[in-house]
């Protein structure tokens, strides 16, 4: 029997409580930066398993360290937060929770991104590895991160002294449930998730009466020109070989049909897969906005504010190959290749700050029957629920088993005796 098979032979013994933990997390989701109960449950389990536990890192972050002799240090990361979404899955463990968000509004809360699966998988993997210390050697770091959805949870843990709390890992792993056949595991070397930047731009005009435009500088027309001109950034300035997205998601100006306002606010979002293209696009936005303001005779320069920044997730080639080989051997035809995703993640902030190579893989979580029927009918985008949708929830099994197995198999590729 391989070391992986031997460690995972106990999966049947933990499955009952692991599924209970998952259903409990799913029914009791917590918003970004509010993961207090989730963190408490996780810290309790890790302590039971014999990990050296540090809680309250960057707010609600938890790290468990299990030192098991000489060998490499492997970091496994799960994100813990849920979203302000009203769940419509109809599951008997569906969330009915509400919470007060950062702006003070009462909102529904659901694990619409599947982070509960990540948490339950990592708790399970931690137990299996902690109960098989004769099979491996080295140090295991189980890291539970808050606030992935707001893009600042990983950074918060770093600012709270994470680097001094843990031994520097030789490799770091994270995984995400994604639409696709449950039970499958998919890897990709290189840029796998995009970098994301949001920008708030304020442009200025001179307000006045709608009947006397000659006495004003109209920021509505100015903003409209900017929105149109920004459509040329990706099509004319980014390399055609590389995916890039620039979306203006919000454009606000004025209060009334016959008043020309004195300013307009544009909010946009940029997704890129290389630092060069990211810089090219952000520079082009500043250049175009500034020039359009000049063209309109704007009375003062535009203001730019960057927010909600997500780093590029750029999987290390060597680490990814080693994980892919281990997955191919263990999962056989359930292991495949992950298409590049336009979504973003802040996980890479941690390994990047620690100069640790990392890889991030996807776990399919859709009911296989539903998935195959949707593919056959050419209705994947209509029929397969996607992350952040109210009807998104992984099928419990084999998704949870697969998430647990993937973490154990990847960790043992470094740690097995
Ligand atoms: Zn999400
Ligand atoms: Zn997510």
């Amino acid at each position: 029997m391989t070391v992986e098979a031997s460690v995972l032979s106990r999966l049947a013994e933990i499955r009952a409580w692991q599924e209970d933990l998952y259903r409990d997390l799913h029914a009791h989701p917590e918003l970004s930066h509010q993961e207090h109960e989730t963190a408490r449950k996780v810290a309790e389990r890790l302590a039971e398993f014999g990990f050296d536990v540090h809680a309250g890192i960057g707010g609600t972050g938890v790290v468990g360290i299990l030192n098991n002799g000489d060998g490499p240090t492997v970091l496994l990361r799960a994100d813990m937060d849920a979203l302000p979404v009203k769940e419509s899955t109809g599951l008997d463990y569906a969330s009915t929770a509400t919470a007060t968000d950062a702006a003070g509004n009462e909102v529904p809360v659901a694990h619409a991104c599947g982070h509960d699966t990540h948490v339950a998988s990592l708790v399970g993997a931690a137990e299996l590895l902690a109960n098989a210390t004769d099979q491996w050697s080295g140090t295991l770091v189980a890291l539970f991160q808050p606030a992935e959805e707001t893009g600042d949870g990983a950074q918060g843990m770093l600012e709270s002294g994470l680097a001094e709390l843990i031994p520097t890992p030789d490799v770091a792993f994270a995984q995400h449930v994604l639409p696709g056949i449950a039970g499958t595991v998919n890897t990709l070397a290189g840029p796998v998730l995009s970098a994301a930047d949001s920008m708030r731009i304020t442009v200025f005009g001179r307000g006045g009466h709608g009947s006397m435009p000659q006495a004003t500088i109209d920021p509505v027309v100015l903003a409209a020109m900017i929105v149109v001109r920004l459509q040329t950034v990706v099509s004319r300035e980014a390399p055609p070989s590389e995916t890039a997205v620039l979306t203006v998601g919000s454009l606000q100006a004025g209060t009334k049909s016959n008043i020309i306002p004195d300013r307009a606010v544009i909010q946009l979002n940029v997704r890129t897969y290389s630092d060069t293209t990211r810089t090219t696009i952000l520079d082009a936005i500043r250049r175009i906005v500034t020039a359009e303001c000049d063209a309109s005779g704007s009375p003062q320069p535009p203001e730019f504010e960057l927010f909600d920044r997500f780093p590029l997730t750029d999987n290390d080639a060597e680490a990814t190959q080693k994980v892919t080989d281990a997955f191919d051997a263990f999962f056989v035809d359930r292991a495949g290749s992950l298409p590049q995703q336009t979504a973003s993640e802040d996980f890479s902030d941690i390994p990047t700050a620690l100069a640790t190579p990392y890889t991030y893989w996807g776990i399919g979580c859709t009911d296989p029957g539903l998935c195959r029927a949707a593919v056959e009918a050419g209705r994947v985008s209509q029929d397969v629920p996607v992350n952040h949708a109210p009807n998104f929830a992984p099928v419990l099994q084999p998704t949870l088993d697969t998430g647990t197995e993937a973490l154990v198999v990847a960790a043992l590729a470094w740690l097995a005796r």
Side-chain angles (χ1 to χ4, degrees), residues 13-22 45 49 123-124 127:
E13 286 173 43
I14 70 159
R15 196 177 280 123
W17 69 250
Q18 197 191 12
E19 289 183 357
D20 284 346
L21 171 67
Y22 170 76
R45 301 272 179 166
F49 307 155
V123 172
E127 200 274 358

Side-chain angles (χ1 to χ4, degrees), residues 80-100:
M80 301 189 286
D81 53 333
L83 286 162
V85 167
K86 188 164 172 48
E87 180 164 356
S88 70
T89 59
L91 291 165
D92 55 6
Y93 50 91
S95 165
T96 55
T98 59
T100 307

Side-chain angles (χ1 to χ4, degrees), residues 79 113 115 118 148-149 176 345 388:
D79 41 6
C113 205
H115 298 182
H118 310 161
E148 183 283 323
E149 296 291 351
H176 209 297
E345 256 277 356
H388 291 206

Side-chain angles (χ1 to χ4, degrees), residues 38-61:
T38 307
R40 190 187 56 74
K41 289 167 193 168
V42 162
E44 238 175 55
R45 301 272 179 166
L46 291 176
E48 263 172 46
F49 307 155
F51 281 74
D52 178 15
V53 181
H54 302 271
I57 307 166
T60 58

Side-chain angles (χ1 to χ4, degrees), residues 223-238 244-251 266-270 281 284-285 287-289 292:
M225 291 301 190
I226 289 171
V227 172
V228 172
R229 182 73 201 244
L230 287 179
Q231 306 309 310
T232 65
V233 174
V234 170
S235 73
R236 302 293 84 188
E237 300 196 44
V245 183
L246 193 172
T247 292
V248 177
S250 168
L251 169 53
I266 295 165
Q267 294 191 71
L268 56 81
N269 183 259
V270 174
I281 291 182
I285 293 167
R287 190 192 72 237
I288 287 169
V289 170
E292 287 291 346

Side-chain angles (χ1 to χ4, degrees), residues 226-300:
I226 289 171
V227 172
V228 172
R229 182 73 201 244
L230 287 179
Q231 306 309 310
T232 65
V233 174
V234 170
S235 73
R236 302 293 84 188
E237 300 196 44
S241 56
E242 214 179 291
T243 304
V245 183
L246 193 172
T247 292
V248 177
S250 168
L251 169 53
Q252 290 177 318
T255 53
K256 200 170 181 294
S257 63
N258 67 349
I259 301 173
I260 293 170
D262 69 350
R263 68 191 60 200
V265 179
I266 295 165
Q267 294 191 71
L268 56 81
N269 183 259
V270 174
R271 307 271 166 160
T272 49
Y273 292 94
S274 73
D275 287 336
T276 316
T277 303
R278 175 175 180 266
T279 306
T280 301
I281 291 182
L282 294 179
D283 286 352
I285 293 167
R286 288 197 178 86
R287 190 192 72 237
I288 287 169
V289 170
T290 305
E292 287 291 346
C293 287
D294 280 349
S296 289
S298 197
Q300 73 183 83

